[in-house]
Amino acid sequence: MRPIVLGVLAALFFAVTFVVNRAMDLAGGSWIWSASLRYIFMVPFLVIIVLTRKNLKQLFSVMKEHPRSWLVWSFIGFGLFYAPLCFAAAYSPGWLIAGTWQITIISGSLLAPLFWVTLGNKKVKGKIPLKGLMLSMIILIGIILMQIEHAQSIPLATVLLGILPVIIASFAYPLGNRKMMEICDGRLDAYQRVLGMTLASLPLWFLLSIYGLFTVGAPTLQQGIQSLIVAISSGVIATVLFFMATDMVRGNMQKLAAVEATQSIEVLFALVGEIIILSLPIPTPLSWLGILVVIIGMVIHSYVSSIEKGPATTTINA
């Protein structure tokens, strides 16, 4: 159950993203700086951590083996993940983004056929874990119940601009994460892999920052401080915890789906955060029912996965 516990802790720190990004937007900050500053601020913290662990040389050695792959999958896993989330924050409240983000529970399962797995001495196409997918649907139903009353009052434009980018992000994050696990093949720890992907995604964030300077101007001090909070909480702590959890189960698609499903509890954490920090109204009874369904779905999903005794697998290049 350790990977599940790490996944839940990661969800707690990830929830800071939805609350603080919404707060930045309400204060007039641009999504451009919310996205780029987070990853730029992450670099020094991660470098210090990896240097302290004396693993920086090994990281650069592994990155030199496939530099193009690092650039591509870091762009997808970090760039196409976080930039759309920040963009969506300009059009939707944090609770809606957090709720929509839970589509990643299903997205991660649907990505299985994109990978080959090794079963004994044979290499076969990965299969969608139907049991895990069905259990994930329980969680998704709970999320829909939580948000249904709010969603009825949202204009179509907000739905399109606030939800479609999040759907893109929901596929990009697990895809980039799994591909980098495949490339690293267990040779790097979570700190090294997060630092490597952050460094490889820096060209995108620098270009986005330049674009921001010429379009919306420089960020305010307040947005800079808020972005630093997100960088430490979500970018460093949450990402490392989540990567540690996925590394532990990277050889089993069922257990990997269960770890990714723990991120559904972000909705609960984000909801509580917005109630306390942004004075969001107390949820309706229907929303609380949705929260209960989410928790029950997570418990069932985690339990079934923990007793699953399917063969271990190792992903290889598609």
Side-chain angles (χ1 to χ4, degrees), residues 2 6 190-191 193 239-249:
R2 186 183 178 191
L6 290 177
Y191 300 100
R193 187 152 59 90
T239 303
V240 168
L241 286 173
F242 183 69
F243 278 16
M244 287 174 62
T246 54
D247 272 337
M248 290 179 182
V249 294

Side-chain angles (χ1 to χ4, degrees), residues 44-208:
F45 292 101
L46 291 171
V47 168
I48 292 174
I49 292 174
V50 176
L51 273 176
T52 302
R53 295 166 62 88
K54 300 180 180 179
N55 289 329
L56 191 60
K57 183 178 180 180
Q58 181 189 17
L59 168 62
F60 289 147
S61 176
V62 173
M63 292 181 70
K64 288 180 181 178
E65 295 176 3
H66 305 284
R68 183 178 300 179
S69 296
W70 276 89
L71 289 172
V72 170
W73 297 116
S74 297
F75 168 78
I76 293 175
F78 280 3
L80 289 184
F81 149 63
Y82 198 62
L85 281 186
C86 291
F87 178 84
Y91 298 94
S92 296
W95 58 261
L96 179 59
I97 297 175
T100 307
W101 171 245
Q102 304 317 311
I103 293 178
T104 193
I105 301 167
I106 296 176
S107 303
S109 297
L110 295 178
L111 290 173
L114 297 180
F115 298 86
W116 290 85
V117 296
T118 300
L119 295 177
N121 296 323
K122 296 182 179 180
K123 298 175 182 178
V124 298
K125 275 283 188 178
K127 295 182 179 179
I128 297 175
L130 296 180
K131 182 185 295 185
L133 188 62
M134 293 303 297
L135 292 174
S136 296
M137 291 300 294
I138 296 176
I139 299 173
L140 192 59
I141 290 173
I143 293 166
I144 292 175
L145 289 175
M146 289 175 62
Q147 314 299 350
I148 191 169
E149 291 187 352
H150 300 283
Q152 291 176 349
S153 61
I154 296 173
L156 178 60
T158 300
V159 172
L160 294 177
L161 294 175
I163 292 181
L164 291 180
V166 183
I167 294 177
I168 294 174
S170 74
F171 281 92
Y173 189 67
L175 178 59
N177 180 31
R178 292 182 183 184
K179 279 295 185 179
M180 290 314 305
M181 283 195 294
E182 175 181 285
I183 292 171
C184 296
D185 195 26
R187 293 176 294 171
L188 301 179
D189 61 27
Y191 300 100
Q192 291 171 297
R193 187 152 59 90
V194 175
L195 174 58
M197 292 182 69
T198 302
L199 292 174
S201 67
L202 281 180
L204 169 65
W205 307 123
F206 287 144
L207 289 174
L208 192 60

Side-chain angles (χ1 to χ4, degrees), residues 20-38 41 82 86 89 212 216-231:
V20 177
N21 280 353
R22 185 56 178 172
M24 284 190 277
D25 179 72
L26 293 176
S30 171
W31 69 270
I32 295 175
W33 294 113
S34 300
S36 57
L37 288 180
R38 162 180 163 166
F41 286 158
Y82 198 62
C86 291
V216 298
T220 63
L221 177 60
Q222 180 183 10
Q223 187 170 19
I225 295 174
Q226 290 172 319
S227 297
L228 180 61
I229 293 174
V230 173

